[in-house]
Amino acid sequence: MFQPFVQLVRQYDLFFDIDFSGLSFTGKATVDLDATGDISLDAVGLQVKSVKHGNRNLPYKQTSNAVEIKTGKFSGPLDIEFSGKVSENFTGFYKASYGDGYILTTHLEAVQARKLFPCLDHPAFKAVFKLVVRTGPDLKVISNMPVESEEVRANKKVVSFKQTPKMSTYLFYLGVGKFVEEHNRHGQTHLYAAHARPKGSIKTEFSFEAAQKVLDYYESYFGIPYQLPKLHQVAVPEFAYGAMENWGAITYREILMHVDQNTSVRAKKAVAGVIAHEIAHMWFGDLVTMKWWDDIWLNESFATFMGHHAVDQGYPQWKVWQDFVRTQTSGAMGRDGLRSTHPIEARVKNPEEIEELFDEISYGKGASILRMIEAYIGPDKFQKGVAKYLEKFRYSNASGQDLWSHLQEASGTDVNRIMEAWISKPGFPIITATLSDKKLNLEQERFLMAGGIEKQSWPVPVTMMVDGKPQSLLLDKEEAQVNIGPSPKSLKLNVDQTGFYIVHYQGRELQDLVWKSRLSPLDKWGLISDAKALLLSGRMPIREYLSLLERFRKDEEYLPMFEISDQLELLHVLAPEKMRDTSRRFHTDQLKTLQAKTDENSIMLKGIVAGRLTLIDDAYAKEQGSKIKDLASVDPDMKRPVVMGYARSSNDYNGLIDRFKKSATDEERLRYLEGLASFNKPDLVAKALEFSLTGQVKKQDVRNIVAYSTSNADARSVSWEWVKTNIEKLETMYQGTAQLSSIMRAYISIAGVGRVDEAESLFNQYPVPAADATLERLRIYDRLARSIMATS
Ligand SMILES: [Zn+2]
């Protein structure tokens, strides 16, 4: 990947002749560039037929990943003729099937553009792209820019696109198929929705509305208009990732483009969240791009962070910052508390390493650190710094350092030093707080979920409320003493949980001050979430943890209720016999509270709590299951618990399979898939897992059924056995995407509880990149499960 001689690439003139039914293509790339010596272009899986400069043939050699061309010092266009095949997995130019049809679509991030055309496949080599495609007359072609001309000649359609602005190769897009297209606008920008299903079957109004709202927000926040004349949102029937920010032609899973009256609040919030994330990339990633993949986190964490701002503005009733901490911050701490974590800023060389970086650290930790810095310097200064940074680096590349410098300049604070420490060190701090001599002592060290102590310190922007008044300090040593007045009545650290650290309050007197504080929903979440971390690391006994949860049993707020439900679900799967009653009691109380509420968050949470209750309460499962006869009239968020309850009370495998096959939307299909994983008879879940590999379940959704069966305590052994048996199939299916790693870390660490030795030998045989993290987390869960089982 290292390019010693190429200085710059000005332009790619690309021509593709695509044999849609033959799943192959021939192409010609004219690459206009300057080099100080022989040129090596990235090319994988392509057959190069000739390399020319003008009329002159140039000698070249093709290796497994490059075309090495004898040019010597060179300036000007190189013409390369090549051919290639459409990919059968999720990367490069691939076939995405639906029913009995398919589309051809690209997914070129991180280093897959080289599978479509020879190029300098490096984000810092930005160039202009001019594209012409020849293909069947009945097919539509979509790319980054609007069509310039289109004609049918000799029963072939030739589509020519307008030239792009300077952009990175990984953002190039090409889609070919029988697309249905809808049109809308945002100011001067043409908006399109495209999908491959019958007209009207994917309802795109909401995705247009969300796009318009977030475009409004970003244009005003960044102070730079959206830069291309059009923006496509393309629904892709098979897609390993949720979505991809190709400039001007964003691709999404189909479920993210369809919203109608039968869509649950849960799905609708996900749709808005992903659209906001992808559109943020149009500025952050596409207009300004990282210099190298080491900084991929900057793209992803910024899009994640800004996406929440945009949705919060467009849909304030959802209070999405509450979802942010529960998913992004919490997910990141769950990963970063492991010894086998990695720093935000990682050194990467080979493509597999790059893929593995698309994880909870790059998205969730990075975004949480940005939220911490925004709170530290204030939202206005933060916005000012970001806008200046984008203005300065538009159409070029920048590093994290460039952003910190702009934030530092805008705020007059020491952002550089703080950020450097947070992105270069793995892990995060736990702050132990104690009271002595009327002073508050704060002591930091690295938090390790496996237990043990490691002296480490970060510059931590610590915030606190003392008697309702805010106080703050930058804790940049291991210890500090804080004056909190002679007799404080209340105190809470990490106000609204903007800081990426855990607090352990020690001593009765101090804990009482915390309980006397006015706690926001975010503060309550912090206490509950920190308690889980303390429990897992062995710093808090299970009894103390449960009595802390008990304080919130009657709590009526969305965020603390949701967090408790999440935690009890996990504990129940880990130690079902001991945790079932507690979990049932909490979930039953929560359901009662939620019945009376009508806001969208409560409607969504009610569906989730009810779903979890069907897995632990047979009578409730039966009651819900009986409503399946009239499922159409059930509230969209409550359909899921009805299907799960039906599965558990009927064991009607064939009936659910039948419903799955007749489903019209992905949301319905996933609901039945979850039903099929929820049986209380493990052999039926095993049958459902087998069904997922028959080609009738989208490949992208196979990981979902693994997730569903892992949440079903009755099916834990079955999930474990199935993944173990099918690990090679999963590896092939998700090749090049790091999806297998995420399945391992998230589900095998749970399903493998009680089988640590077996897991170790599995990973000896298949040393997947996620093995260390999976085993570490598995050992932690296993230890907790055993300690819970040992309680009387
Ligand atoms: Zn992203």
Side-chain angles (χ1 to χ4, degrees):
M1 227 174 272
F2 179 61
Q3 266 302 332
F5 299 128
V6 175
Q7 301 295 298
L8 88 150
V9 183
R10 276 177 292 272
Q11 180 155 346
Y12 291 94
D13 275 276
L14 299 172
F15 170 76
F16 293 103
D17 191 342
I18 295 164
D19 179 356
F20 189 79
S21 55
L23 299 174
S24 64
F25 57 90
T26 58
K28 184 176 164 193
T30 302
V31 189
D32 186 10
L33 43 60
D34 288 351
T36 55
D38 289 349
I39 292 166
S40 170
L41 294 178
D42 298 303
V44 170
L46 299 172
Q47 253 338 96
V48 173
K49 292 176 192 157
S50 69
V51 181
K52 286 184 179 174
H53 176 54
N55 292 326
R56 191 158 55 91
N57 273 305
L58 297 174
Y60 68 92
K61 189 178 93 193
Q62 204 175 353
T63 67
S64 64
N65 55 18
V67 203
E68 292 165 3
I69 309 160
K70 283 255 172 285
T71 54
K73 187 172 182 307
F74 185 87
S75 178
L78 273 180
D79 294 324
I80 303 148
E81 290 194 313
F82 57 93
S83 62
K85 287 199 172 4
V86 169
S87 159
E88 292 280 345
N89 60 32
F90 288 110
T91 61
F93 187 41
Y94 75 94
K95 175 182 162 191
S97 302
Y98 57 93
D100 43 19
Y102 57 83
I103 60 165
L104 304 181
T105 186
T106 53
H107 182 88
L108 304 186
E109 191 178 24
V111 289
Q112 323 278 4
R114 61 192 65 181
K115 293 179 177 169
L116 182 61
F117 55 94
C119 56
L120 255 298
D121 202 3
H122 185 304
F125 282 91
K126 286 197 174 185
V128 162
F129 291 77
K130 182 83 182 71
L131 171 70
V132 178
V133 174
R134 181 160 67 199
T135 190
D138 54 339
L139 298 168
K140 252 199 180 114
V141 187
I142 297 172
S143 186
N144 308 81
M145 292 295 284
V147 171
E148 192 172 59
S149 68
E150 191 175 296
E151 55 175 334
V152 176
R153 254 184 284 164
N155 204 31
K156 286 271 189 185
K157 184 190 263 185
V158 179
V159 188
S160 170
F161 291 88
K162 288 189 174 152
Q163 180 173 300
T164 70
K166 272 175 79 181
M167 66 175 202
S168 302
T169 46
Y170 80 94
L171 295 168
F172 180 81
Y173 181 71
L174 173 59
V176 185
K178 290 181 180 152
F179 288 110
V180 171
E181 221 170 38
E182 284 157 44
H183 177 245
N184 209 319
R185 297 184 79 103
H186 176 262
Q188 298 299 305
T189 311
H190 292 273
L191 299 180
Y192 298 92
H195 62 82
R197 303 285 180 171
K199 204 169 171 55
S201 63
I202 290 193
K203 297 267 192 294
T204 56
E205 295 94 86
F206 182 77
S207 61
F208 277 123
E209 177 200 293
Q212 286 158 335
K213 283 192 179 198
V214 304
L215 282 165
D216 272 345
Y217 179 77
Y218 295 136
E219 291 191 338
S220 117
Y221 186 97
F222 297 134
I224 301 174
Y226 173 71
Q227 295 287 297
L228 302 189
K230 66 95 178 168
L231 173 58
H232 262 90
Q233 300 202 91
V234 184
V236 176
E238 275 277 22
F239 199 0
Y241 304 90
M244 173 65 208
E245 68 268 22
N246 315 298
W247 207 358
I250 302 172
T251 44
Y252 297 92
R253 285 190 174 194
E254 285 180 327
I255 194 170
L256 295 168
M257 290 288 288
H258 169 83
V259 172
D260 66 8
Q261 73 283 359
N262 292 315
T263 304
S264 62
V265 175
R266 186 184 185 211
K268 200 169 156 185
K269 282 177 82 171
V271 170
V274 176
I275 288 176
H277 175 106
E278 298 308 322
I279 294 183
H281 276 311
M282 299 298 108
W283 285 262
F284 221 101
D286 296 6
L287 180 62
V288 178
T289 311
M290 71 262 143
K291 285 183 176 148
W292 177 238
W293 297 104
D294 297 20
D295 267 335
I296 182 63
W297 75 273
L298 195 59
N299 264 6
E300 293 311 341
S301 57
F302 208 88
T304 302
F305 175 74
M306 284 311 302
H308 283 80
H309 266 311
V311 177
D312 195 36
Q313 161 108 357
Y315 303 92
Q317 72 276 21
W318 291 342
K319 302 180 178 125
V320 291
W321 287 106
Q322 300 194 8
D323 295 313
F324 178 91
V325 294
R326 198 186 60 81
T327 55
Q328 302 298 330
T329 305
S330 174
M333 284 186 165
R335 176 77 193 282
D336 209 28
L338 302 176
R339 266 197 192 282
S340 52
T341 184
H342 61 84
I344 289 183
E345 189 180 48
R347 301 271 160 243
V348 286
K349 284 204 174 63
N350 71 51
E352 291 74 30
E353 283 175 357
I354 297 171
E355 288 306 321
E356 293 292 329
L357 282 183
F358 290 82
D359 68 359
E360 304 93 324
I361 301 297
S362 293
Y363 287 71
K365 184 178 180 185
S368 301
I369 303 304
L370 290 172
R371 180 168 174 258
M372 179 163 79
I373 286 293
E374 186 198 41
Y376 181 64
I377 68 176
D380 295 343
K381 288 170 181 163
F382 188 89
Q383 173 180 8
K384 218 168 108 190
V386 169
K388 280 206 164 150
Y389 161 89
L390 288 174
E391 180 59 38
K392 175 155 184 204
F393 294 101
R394 59 206 292 181
Y395 298 110
S396 69
N397 298 76
S399 66
Q401 178 63 52
D402 296 319
L403 179 59
W404 321 147
S405 301
H406 281 76
L407 294 176
Q408 175 150 330
E409 207 183 294
S411 65
T413 53
D414 201 359
V415 176
N416 269 319
R417 187 172 62 89
I418 299 173
M419 286 308 290
E420 282 309 321
W422 281 91
I423 66 174
S424 62
K425 284 184 191 193
F428 63 93
I430 174 170
I431 294 181
T432 304
T434 47
L435 274 185
S436 69
D437 296 337
K438 310 278 176 200
K439 291 249 169 80
L440 178 69
N441 294 303
L442 302 176
E443 205 176 323
Q444 62 165 319
E445 64 192 82
R446 179 176 176 186
F447 175 74
L448 291 167
M449 218 184 303
I453 288 173
E454 187 180 303
K455 283 285 162 206
Q456 260 297 354
S457 63
W458 285 257
V460 190
V462 174
T463 53
M464 63 187 89
M465 274 300 178
V466 183
D467 293 334
K469 290 187 199 75
Q471 235 176 279
S472 63
L473 75 145
L474 189 69
L475 175 66
D476 53 2
K477 298 183 292 285
E478 280 175 12
E479 263 187 271
Q481 277 205 330
V482 190
N483 216 325
I484 49 168
S487 54
K489 305 275 183 304
S490 69
L491 180 152
K492 159 82 177 42
L493 286 148
N494 202 357
V495 181
D496 280 342
Q497 300 304 119
T498 55
F500 196 74
Y501 55 88
I502 283 172
V503 180
H504 194 187
Y505 299 97
Q506 285 191 336
R508 188 60 189 273
E509 197 188 342
L510 181 57
Q511 287 167 2
D512 283 346
L513 292 180
V514 175
W515 295 120
K516 283 183 194 148
S517 299
R518 264 174 77 107
L519 301 170
S520 70
L522 287 157
D523 287 322
K524 290 178 187 174
W525 174 82
L527 295 171
I528 301 163
S529 161
D530 286 0
K532 177 188 169 190
L534 296 170
L535 171 73
L536 283 166
S537 65
R539 288 172 189 256
M540 185 184 275
I542 181 85
R543 270 177 216 286
E544 192 183 330
Y545 164 84
L546 289 173
S547 68
L548 185 139
L549 285 202
E550 200 62 43
R551 285 178 177 268
F552 294 101
R553 187 150 69 90
K554 303 281 180 193
D555 202 284
E556 299 202 348
E557 279 171 309
Y558 167 77
L559 179 61
M561 287 172 89
F562 208 156
E563 177 64 30
I564 287 178
S565 171
D566 287 347
Q567 294 190 12
L568 288 175
E569 187 205 29
L570 173 67
L571 294 184
H572 172 254
V573 177
L574 296 181
E577 295 85 348
K578 290 280 179 184
M579 292 305 299
R580 182 162 294 136
D581 289 346
T582 307
S583 182
R584 190 192 293 131
R585 205 156 44 85
F586 271 85
H587 280 107
T588 305
D589 282 357
Q590 290 193 339
L591 199 61
K592 271 194 206 122
T593 304
L594 291 164
Q595 301 289 17
K597 300 196 172 201
T598 54
D599 63 288
E600 285 191 298
N601 276 353
S602 298
I603 289 169
M604 164 177 145
L605 184 55
K606 189 171 73 183
I608 286 165
V609 166
R612 286 171 176 166
L613 201 53
T614 62
L615 292 169
I616 45 179
D617 184 330
D618 292 345
Y620 184 73
K622 200 167 172 195
E623 179 201 321
Q624 287 302 309
S626 69
K627 297 178 189 162
I628 197 142
K629 292 182 226 84
D630 196 18
L631 191 63
S633 65
V634 172
D635 175 86
D637 281 86
M638 286 302 286
K639 285 182 174 158
R640 200 174 136 263
V642 169
V643 170
M644 292 166 77
Y646 179 72
R648 289 188 71 82
S649 52
S650 72
N651 284 319
D652 179 13
Y653 179 84
N654 292 332
L656 285 176
I657 289 281
D658 204 40
R659 283 172 175 270
F660 172 85
K661 289 181 182 165
K662 287 184 185 146
S663 296
T665 66
D666 274 6
E667 188 179 11
E668 275 180 64
R669 273 183 279 273
L670 288 176
R671 195 179 288 146
Y672 290 119
L673 216 50
E674 185 156 18
L676 286 160
S678 302
F679 293 117
N680 46 26
K681 290 201 174 132
D683 53 324
L684 290 181
V685 178
K687 217 166 139 186
L689 283 160
E690 281 309 307
F691 171 74
S692 76
L693 294 181
T694 57
Q696 299 175 82
V697 174
K698 289 186 177 196
K699 287 191 278 179
Q700 66 178 34
D701 295 334
V702 171
R703 65 164 290 162
N704 291 54
I705 192 168
V706 179
Y708 302 147
S709 64
T710 308
S711 318
N712 176 359
D714 301 316
R716 215 176 68 194
S717 306
V718 168
S719 326
W720 164 257
E721 289 299 335
W722 188 81
V723 173
K724 197 175 97 170
T725 316
N726 292 289
I727 190 165
E728 283 175 79
K729 278 185 198 155
L730 293 170
E731 205 166 6
T732 312
M733 184 181 294
Y734 292 124
Q735 197 183 12
T737 69
Q739 291 289 305
L740 182 63
S741 291
S742 112
I743 293 175
M744 292 292 162
R745 283 196 301 269
Y747 313 125
I748 289 310
S749 58
I750 296 173
V753 163
R755 299 178 171 82
V756 175
D757 295 346
E758 246 183 278
E760 280 168 358
S761 59
L762 176 70
F763 288 127
N764 278 333
Q765 204 180 339
Y766 300 100
V768 296
D772 287 351
T774 306
L775 282 172
E776 187 180 352
R777 186 176 283 168
L778 168 58
R779 290 191 193 100
I780 292 165
Y781 285 159
D782 190 75
R783 177 181 69 188
L784 178 62
R786 278 185 283 113
S787 86
I788 296 175
M789 295 309 279
T791 55
S792 52

